[in-house]
């Protein structure tokens, strides 16, 4: 489920606290809040990233699958962590998969 977002909501995030009102309005116009249930996949390994995600609430497991199909956890993302920041790189292919560990809100 996805919802639009207000500039005031973005201002509560330390990452965006120094943006001007005009910058926050522009960012809010291109941002949605997305809710995930526990154990729900956010994105798989090896896809071209189109979005950057900020964890507003919840925890996200970032992992890979080993050669013998065993899931390996690389990292746990917590509130205010950023996912898929490689969208800005020359190679925007995800280097891990992401799955929620709790009910999670991203934007």
């Amino acid at each position: 489920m996805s919802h639009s977002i207000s500039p005031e909501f973005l201002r509560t995030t330390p990452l965006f606290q120094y943006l001007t009102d005009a910058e926050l309005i522009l960012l809010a116009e291109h941002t949605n809040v997305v809710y995930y249930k526990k154990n729900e996949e956010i994105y798989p390994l090896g896809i071209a990233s189109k979005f950057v995600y900020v964890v507003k609430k919840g925890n996200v497991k970032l992992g890979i699958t080993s050669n013998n199909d065993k899931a390996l956890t690389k990292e746990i993302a917590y509130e205010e962590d950023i996912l898929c920041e490689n969208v800005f790189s020359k190679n925007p292919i995800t280097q891990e998969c992401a799955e929620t560990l709790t009910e999670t809100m991203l934007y």
Side-chain angles (χ1 to χ4, degrees), residues 34-103:
V34 184
Y35 298 90
Y36 291 91
K37 296 177 182 174
K38 182 178 178 178
N39 299 323
E40 192 171 351
E41 182 180 71
I42 299 168
Y43 58 83
L45 172 70
I47 64 159
S49 301
K50 295 181 182 178
F51 307 103
V52 173
Y53 302 92
V54 177
V55 180
K56 184 64 176 177
K57 177 184 167 203
N59 302 313
V60 177
K61 175 176 65 173
L62 304 172
I64 59 173
T65 304
S66 68
N67 293 339
N68 60 359
D69 287 332
K70 188 169 186 161
L72 303 172
T73 300
K74 290 174 52 179
E75 179 180 354
I76 304 294
Y78 300 97
E79 292 180 12
E80 307 303 337
D81 283 345
I82 300 171
L83 311 176
C84 279
E85 63 273 8
N86 65 326
V87 73
F88 301 112
S89 71
K90 290 181 182 179
N91 181 16
I93 304 301
T94 57
Q95 303 299 307
E96 72 277 323
C97 56
E99 180 182 310
T100 60
L101 293 173
T102 61
E103 287 189 2

